[in-house]
Amino acid sequence: MKILYYIYQICFALPILLVLTILTALVTIVGSLIGGAHIWGYYPGKIWSQLICVFLLIPVKVRGREKIHKHTSYVFVPNHQGAFDIFLIYGFLGRNFKWMMKKSLRKLPFVGKACESAGHIFVDRSGPKKVLETIRQAKASLKDGVSLVVFPEGARTFTGHMGYFKKGAFQLADELQLEVVPVTIDGSFKILPRTGKWIHPYRMILTIHDPIPPKGQGIKNIKATMAEAYAAVESALPEEYKGMVKNEDQDR
C-alpha cells in the first residue's frame, strides 16, 4: 500500500497541488490588490489547505471549535509538529486570522508574495525598531474579529515532543489584553516530520482548548499564561509525545 501511495503522490497528487498552490497565490495577490484582503487573504488559503488534505487522502478531525466566538479576536498558540500544521490550521480552524511567521518565508516563490498581500505578519528580529514595527502591524490586524496565529515554539519539532514556548505571542496578548487560545496539533509529525522526505497518510486532529483570559498585566500574567497554555496543548498529545525532550539542534 505504501508503494501505491508514493506512486499516487508523485504522479497525481503533487502535480495537482503545485498548480493549486500557484493559482491560490495568484488569486490571493490579485484579490488583495483589488480590495478586501480581509476576505482574499483568508478564504483562498482555507480552500487550498482543505484540498491538499483531500488530494493527499489525509483525514482531519476538529475538537472544541464551539469554545471560540466568531466576533472575538484571539491569539492562537498551537504546537508545531511539522509542515502540515499550516494546512490543518488554515483549512480547519474556522476563524479568519493572520499568521505571524518567519521573515525568511517572504522569499518563497508565489507563496511569500501572497502572504505579504494577505497582510500576514513577517517577524523581523534584526533590531528593536523592526520588532516594534512587527508589534504595531500585529495590533492593527487584531480587529473586527480577526485573530493571530503564532507557533510559540518558533520551529518544528525534531522528535514530536514540544519545545520551549517563546514569550512573543504572550507579550502581545498581554499588551492588548486578549485571550490566548491553546491549540493542540496531533498527527502532522507522522505525516511529514522535519527530517522527512516522503508524505505518509495519517489522520490529523486539531484540538481547540478553552481561551485563557488575562489575569492582570505584566510579566506575572505572561508567565502564568505561558504555563497554562503549555499544559493545555500538551494534555491533548498522545502519551508518546508528552514530556519535553531537549534537542540542541532545535531552533530556539
Side-chain angles (χ1 to χ4, degrees):
M1 287 298 292
K2 284 186 177 180
I3 297 299
L4 289 176
Y5 182 75
Y6 292 156
I7 294 171
Y8 166 79
Q9 186 182 135
I10 294 171
C11 298
F12 182 73
L14 292 182
I16 290 177
L17 296 178
L18 177 61
V19 173
L20 280 175
T21 299
I22 294 172
L23 287 176
T24 300
L26 292 174
V27 168
T28 299
I29 293 167
V30 174
S32 298
L33 285 173
I34 293 172
H38 178 79
I39 301 298
W40 293 103
Y42 172 64
Y43 288 100
K46 176 181 179 178
I47 295 168
W48 166 70
S49 296
Q50 291 174 345
L51 287 175
I52 283 177
C53 291
V54 169
F55 278 111
L56 289 172
L57 311 178
I58 295 170
V60 172
K61 183 175 183 179
V62 180
R63 299 170 176 163
R65 195 183 282 149
E66 72 281 355
K67 296 177 180 179
I68 53 178
H69 303 291
K70 184 177 181 181
H71 299 294
T72 301
S73 294
Y74 299 100
V75 177
F76 291 95
V77 288
N79 58 314
H80 205 356
Q81 280 203 337
F84 274 73
D85 298 348
I86 306 296
F87 310 128
L88 184 61
I89 293 286
Y90 221 151
F92 301 94
L93 182 63
R95 290 298 308 274
N96 198 328
F97 66 87
K98 302 299 180 186
W99 290 106
M100 186 172 277
M101 59 184 69
K102 292 180 179 180
K103 183 178 69 171
S104 58
L105 296 177
R106 194 192 296 258
K107 298 177 182 178
L108 289 175
F110 293 102
V111 174
K113 180 61 179 176
C115 289
E116 183 179 351
S117 300
H120 296 305
I121 301 159
F122 295 95
V123 180
D124 189 339
R125 297 191 178 94
S126 60
K129 288 185 178 180
K130 292 293 184 180
V131 172
L132 287 173
E133 186 179 324
T134 298
I135 293 172
R136 282 196 293 269
Q137 188 180 353
K139 286 181 180 179
S141 300
L142 290 167
K143 59 184 180 181
D144 301 324
V146 175
S147 295
L148 187 68
V149 175
V150 187
F151 291 114
E153 293 165 274
R156 289 169 289 163
T157 176
F158 280 101
T159 64
H161 296 77
M162 288 167 58
Y164 295 97
F165 277 5
K166 297 179 179 179
K167 290 190 294 186
F170 301 94
Q171 287 176 323
L172 182 63
D174 177 76
E175 186 170 339
L176 301 179
Q177 290 292 281
L178 294 176
E179 293 181 297
V180 170
V181 182
V183 178
T184 303
I185 293 171
D186 174 31
S188 175
F189 183 74
K190 296 281 190 182
I191 295 170
L192 186 63
R194 184 166 177 171
T195 56
K197 294 183 174 64
W198 289 93
I199 296 169
H200 305 278
Y202 194 82
R203 63 96 185 94
M204 288 195 293
I205 300 175
L206 184 72
T207 303
I208 301 168
H209 299 277
D210 291 320
I212 303 172
K215 300 172 179 61
Q217 194 165 25
I219 190 63
K220 188 175 179 180
N221 175 59
I222 292 170
K223 288 182 176 180
T225 304
M226 284 178 67
E228 188 174 344
Y230 193 98
V233 174
E234 189 180 46
S235 70
L237 286 174
E239 289 299 322
E240 64 179 309
Y241 296 134
K242 289 182 179 179
M244 188 182 298
V245 172
K246 185 177 180 181
N247 190 320
E248 295 179 356
D249 294 326
Q250 186 167 356
D251 296 333
R252 302 233 187 259

